[in-house]
Structure formats: C-alpha cells, structure tokens
C-alpha cells in the first residue's frame, strides 16, 4: 500500500514521462505513486527547493542533528552546511523507508569497521526520526549517515590561499561518500585546494587541477595527462599511508624535490658507480617515507571518568541549581570554567532542556569555546529527582556532565560506551543505592 505523495518535481516528471510515452491512460494513481517513490528514492534533496515535503524533511533532519548533538556533546562547526548535506540524503532516505525501497551501501561493513563508535551513536541518533517514517533505519542507511557525520571528525581544514596546488576529487558514490573522501584527503593533504565533481568534464572552464583523486567506484578512470590517484572513500591507516606516499611522490617531483632516479642520474654524471644495484638499495631506504605517527587513541569512558567524579545523594531545589551541582566535580578539577556553567544555563533558558537525553537522564554540555579545559565526564545522582521541564523525560535523577576541549582527540568511544551503559536497567539500580563504589564498579563492569 502506498501513501499519497505530495506534489513534487519527481511526480511531475513521472506524469510527463508516461504522457510522453503514451502510457498515462493505463496508469492508475497507485502506480504513478509507486514509480514516483522509486524516483524519489534515488534523487538527492535540495534544501533550497520549495517542495510540499520540505518542512517534513527539514524536521527529520533537525531531529537527527539535535539528537546527535545531545548524545555526543558536540555541535557541528558549520550548522548550515551540515544541515544542507544531511537534508540531501534524508529526503531520499525518508521515501526509501516509507515505501520499503531497498538500498545497497557497498561501504557499510567498512564504515562499521573504521567508525564503530560513530556508527553506534548515529544508529541511536536516528531513532526519533524513525516514527515519522514508520520503519527502522536499516544498516546501509545508517552507514551513509555515518559517512556524513564522519566529516566532523576528519580534521577539516579551512580553505587557504589560491597559490596552493589544485586537486579534483571525482566521486559518484553520492554526497555522503564525496563528503567523507573530501574530509579524509583534506586531512592528509592540507597543502592542496580541493574541489569535488562527478566527472572531469564538470570542471571545464576552470583552471585544470594539478592532481586528480578518482574514487574506486568510478567505472572509468579519466583519460588525461594530469596525474590520477585512485582512492577509496573510507580508508584505513595502511591505505592512507600508501596514498600519502604516492601523492608526495607526484607533488615532490612537481615542486623540484629529487626522486631516486634523479639522484642516481646526477651521481652517474659525476662519479663512477662500482655497484649501482647496491647503491639503489641504499638510497631506496632514504627515499621511502617514514610511517606517519600513530593516531592518538580514542578517549574511552575510563579515560574521562573516575570515582572522584561521581557525586551521590545530592539535593537541589531547581534545575539551575542541579546544573551547577552536576558541574561541581568538573569545576573542582578545573576541567571547566565558571563561564562554561553559566553558558549552559543561559542556553537552556533559551533553547529548553536540550541536555535531557533519556528518561531521567541528562548529559550537561555546551560549546567547548566557553571554557572546556580538560576532557572529563562526571556523574551526579540526585537524592530527589529534579524537574527540568522536559515534556517526556522528566524528572532528572542522573546527571552526567561533559567537558571536551577544542582539539581534543575524538571522545566518541567514551560516548558510545556511555550509551551502552544507559541502556542497562541494572546500572540505574546501582545508581539508586547512592553508593559511589558500587556505581563505579558498575561502570567498569560494562567495559570488560
């Protein structure tokens, strides 16, 4: 059974196509809706297009972004760009869910391997939007959304001067894949100015790039004299190293940096080489780039929390007092400033109880620039639940307080661990004992 579809460009396209082929007389409204749903399922949405469903899709997108921020304590640095990017994927995803249209994401397993914690968080962030479509998001859809959110954690760099070498990313996997590939390559090569396109022809009229990164999903690598490096949208550390070596080799030659053959040629002109093979082997070791330093380990729950950050039997009369008391363990450790506390309260007075993330649970946080000094997570258990004026999850009995300074390694591992902890009713039973040692033991027990 198909639901009535709004008037949209995709529906008008189907109607025009049927009329053009002389098939409109044989197609009932249900069949038109069925064909339209498939077109919607493979189209990208545009937030700038005034369609009947734009408010609905915007609502779903906003819910997912808000829930993600609630669960991680991180706000997208460019809210408008992130909203636009997500909207483009959420619109077709909504209709795929609504009409049960299957989708295959060839990168799902790799996304789950490379971003396990982020994938878990996104899977929970989409749950409030599932009710609007009446279905659960399948793993392939969640993986695509994870690729969008991964952009936040791949070290995006601001555009630099136009004197940088130009690079073109060719990718047809979709907006999600392009965004992740752009973020990964920007992190690896901040000296390059990147543009993204579906084909080399799309770049006509602009200055030609110095190097092209072609996604492995492309059916045909462009025939061009410009150096082409084939890459995957999701790369592990070994793949990144190989790409780094290949690109540095290309850019090094262009910048005048000598390669092995150039050095050997110069030596031949000036000296007599007794054993060229042995010399080549020795020089090869000098020209082989060293492996980049290992990434900083993710900040796990035990790395941000300890027994001294747990407060029990705390009594408060108002939610403002509850916020201050919940932040107190972090303030005593000088992990946050007074401004951080004040900004949280001021934001809640305007935006409402955004920190209440589950029944009786709050995760206090605000933007790092307002005074987050050290990565830390505290837990306060109130003796009497406190009303935060949340329409569904009041009153709050368990308040976590989060501090993540700017530039801190991703704390997603800690947040994923916290979410697993909050899904266990046994954890709340331990909290209700108001016994700090038992609560800490419960936290540690979930991380075995």
């Amino acid at each position: 059974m198909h639901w009535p579809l709004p008037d949209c460009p995709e529906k008008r396209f189907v109607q025009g196509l049927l009329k053009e082929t002389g098939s409109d007389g044989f197609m009932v409204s249900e069949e038109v809706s069925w064909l339209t749903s498939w077109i919607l399922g493979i189209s990208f949405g545009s937030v700038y297009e005034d369609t009947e469903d734009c408010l609905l899709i915007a609502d779903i997108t906003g819910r997912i972004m808000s829930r993600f921020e609630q669960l991680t304590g991180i706000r997208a640095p460019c809210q408008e760009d992130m909203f636009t990017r997500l909207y483009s994927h959420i619109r077709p995803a909504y209709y795929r869910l609504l009409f049960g249209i299957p989708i295959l994401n060839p990168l799902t397993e790799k996304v789950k391997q490379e971003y396990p914690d982020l994938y878990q968080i996104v899977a929970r962030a989409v749950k409030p939007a599932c009710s609007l479509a009446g279905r659960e998001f399948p793993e392939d859809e969640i993986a695509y959304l994870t690729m969008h959110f991964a952009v936040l954690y791949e070290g995006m760099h601001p555009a630099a001067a136009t004197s940088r070498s130009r690079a073109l990313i060719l990718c047809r996997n979709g907006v999600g894949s392009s965004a992740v590939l752009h973020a990964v390559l920007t992190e690896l090569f901040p000296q390059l100015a990147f543009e993204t396109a579906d084909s080399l022809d799309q770049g006509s009229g602009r200055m030609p790039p110095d190097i092209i990164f072609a996604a492995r999903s492309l059916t045909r690598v462009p025939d061009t004299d410009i150096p082409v490096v084939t890459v995957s949208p999701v790369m592990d550390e070994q793949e990144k190293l190989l790409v780094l070596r290949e690109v540095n080799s290309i850019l090094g030659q262009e910048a005048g940096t000598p390669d092995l053959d150039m050095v050997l040629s110069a030596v031949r002109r000036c000296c007599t080489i007794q054993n060229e093979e042995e010399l080549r082997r020795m020089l090869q070791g000098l020209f082989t780039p060293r492996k980049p330093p290992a990434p900083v380990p993710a900040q796990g729950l035990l790395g941000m929390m300890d027994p001294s950050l747990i407060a029990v039997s705390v009594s408060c009369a108002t939610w403002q007092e509850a916020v201050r008391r919940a932040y107190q363990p972090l303030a005593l450790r000088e992990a946050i400033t007074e401004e951080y506390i004040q900004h949280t309260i001021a934001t809640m007075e305007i935006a409402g109880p955004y920190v209440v993330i589950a029944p009786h649970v709050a995760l206090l946080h605000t933007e790092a620039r307002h005074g987050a000094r050290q990565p830390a997570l505290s837990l306060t258990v109130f003796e009497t639940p406190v009303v935060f004026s949340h329409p569904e999850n009041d009153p709050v009995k368990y308040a976590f307080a989060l501090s993540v300074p700017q530039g801190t390694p991703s704390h997603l591992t800690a947040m994923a661990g916290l979410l697993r902890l909050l899904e266990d009713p046994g954890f709340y039973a331990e909290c209700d004992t108001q016994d700090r040692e038992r609560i800490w033991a419960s936290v540690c027990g979930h991380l075995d």
Side-chain angles (χ1 to χ4, degrees):
M1 178 178 178
H2 288 270
W3 300 0
L5 286 170
D7 184 35
C8 57
E10 291 81 3
K11 185 175 182 179
R12 292 192 292 273
F13 167 77
V14 169
Q15 292 171 333
L17 181 64
L18 295 175
K19 184 176 181 179
E20 196 68 28
T21 58
S23 304
D24 53 324
F26 303 98
M27 304 296 287
V28 297
S29 60
E30 289 80 3
E31 292 170 323
V32 172
S33 294
W34 184 80
L35 287 173
T36 303
S37 67
W38 277 86
I39 299 297
L40 284 165
I42 61 174
S43 304
F44 288 121
S46 172
V47 71
Y48 304 107
E49 192 171 19
D50 185 17
T51 57
E52 285 189 14
D53 60 0
C54 64
L55 293 180
L56 172 63
I57 304 303
D59 181 38
I60 296 175
T61 304
R63 290 191 188 200
I64 292 176
M65 286 185 63
S66 297
R67 186 60 176 168
F68 183 84
E69 181 182 344
Q70 287 179 332
L71 297 179
T72 62
I74 283 190
R75 185 176 178 83
C78 300
Q79 286 281 296
E80 185 176 344
D81 290 345
M82 191 64 188
F83 184 87
T84 301
R85 187 182 299 117
L86 280 178
Y87 186 101
S88 68
H89 182 81
I90 292 297
R91 186 170 186 259
Y94 169 75
Y95 287 106
R96 287 194 292 266
L97 292 178
L98 189 65
F99 294 105
I101 299 173
I103 182 175
L104 175 63
N105 185 348
L107 298 173
T108 294
E109 290 306 316
K110 195 161 189 178
V111 169
K112 292 169 69 175
Q113 291 172 6
E114 291 297 311
Y115 306 103
D117 302 315
L118 181 59
Y119 178 89
Q120 290 184 40
I121 294 172
V122 173
R124 290 166 172 83
V126 300
K127 286 190 177 298
C130 292
S131 59
L132 295 177
R135 297 174 185 263
E136 295 291 324
F137 275 73
E139 288 190 345
D140 288 342
E141 294 283 8
I142 294 172
Y144 273 125
L145 289 171
T146 300
M147 294 166 70
H148 284 285
F149 281 105
V151 173
L152 298 176
Y153 303 98
E154 288 293 348
M156 296 175 66
H157 298 267
T162 56
S163 60
R164 293 189 300 173
S165 297
R166 294 175 298 277
L168 179 65
I169 301 173
L170 298 181
C171 183
R172 290 184 179 175
N173 272 357
V175 175
S177 300
S178 299
V180 171
L181 188 53
H182 185 282
V184 172
L185 292 176
T186 303
E187 178 187 24
L188 286 174
F189 308 107
Q191 75 275 26
L192 297 179
F194 285 94
E195 292 185 18
T196 303
D198 292 336
S199 66
L200 189 57
D201 297 336
Q202 209 176 60
S204 60
R206 298 178 299 193
M207 290 290 291
D210 299 296
I211 188 171
I212 295 173
F213 293 90
R216 290 200 177 100
S217 59
L218 291 177
T219 55
R220 186 174 67 87
V221 176
D223 184 14
T224 175
D225 294 332
I226 302 171
V228 177
V229 179
T230 304
V231 291
S232 171
V234 181
M235 291 182 276
D236 57 27
E237 293 305 315
Q238 183 61 30
E239 290 172 309
K240 289 180 181 179
L241 176 62
L242 294 175
V243 172
L244 191 65
R245 293 175 62 177
E246 183 177 359
V247 173
N248 282 343
S249 175
I250 295 172
L251 298 179
Q253 291 180 29
E254 294 178 347
T257 303
D259 63 10
L260 176 58
D261 291 327
M262 293 169 65
V263 171
L264 280 173
S265 177
V267 172
R268 288 192 201 99
R269 288 197 299 268
C270 302
C271 309
T272 299
I273 302 176
Q274 296 180 350
N275 189 335
E276 184 167 326
E277 185 177 346
E278 178 64 20
L279 178 60
R280 177 179 287 274
R281 280 200 299 268
M282 293 177 64
L283 291 175
Q284 185 68 53
L286 299 177
F287 279 89
T288 301
R290 296 181 179 179
K291 185 175 182 179
V296 180
Q299 191 75 47
L301 196 57
L302 292 182
M304 297 182 69
M305 196 175 185
D306 61 57
S308 67
L309 293 175
I310 299 176
V312 297
S313 301
V314 175
S315 297
C316 300
T318 65
W319 66 262
Q320 291 90 342
E321 183 185 358
V323 169
R324 286 194 167 277
R325 293 295 300 274
Y327 271 136
Q328 191 171 24
L330 300 185
L332 292 174
R333 183 169 292 194
E334 298 185 347
I336 59 173
T337 63
E338 173 63 22
E339 180 190 349
Y340 193 83
I341 301 172
Q342 292 179 355
H343 192 268
T344 302
I345 295 175
T347 303
M348 290 177 63
E349 288 175 341
I350 297 173
Y354 66 93
V355 300
V356 183
I357 64 172
H360 315 305
V361 178
L363 177 61
L364 304 174
H365 64 275
T366 191
E367 295 172 89
R369 61 189 176 90
H370 293 289
R373 290 182 170 177
Q374 301 174 26
L377 181 70
S378 66
L379 167 62
T380 298
V381 182
F382 299 116
E383 186 170 353
T384 302
V386 181
V387 174
F388 274 59
S389 298
H390 193 281
E392 300 171 355
N393 297 329
D394 257 355
V396 172
K397 190 170 185 180
Y398 320 98
F400 291 87
L402 177 66
S403 170
V404 182
Q406 290 177 320
T408 300
S410 172
H411 67 295
L412 295 182
T413 300
M415 293 299 97
L418 175 61
L419 294 178
R420 290 192 295 271
L421 190 69
L422 297 181
E423 291 173 351
D424 179 17
F427 170 69
Y428 300 108
E430 293 298 329
C431 288
D432 290 342
T433 65
Q434 303 286 353
D435 186 316
R436 182 183 291 104
E437 292 184 1
R438 290 182 60 173
I439 295 173
W440 178 243
S442 179
V443 171
C444 296
H446 281 79
L447 302 177
D448 291 340

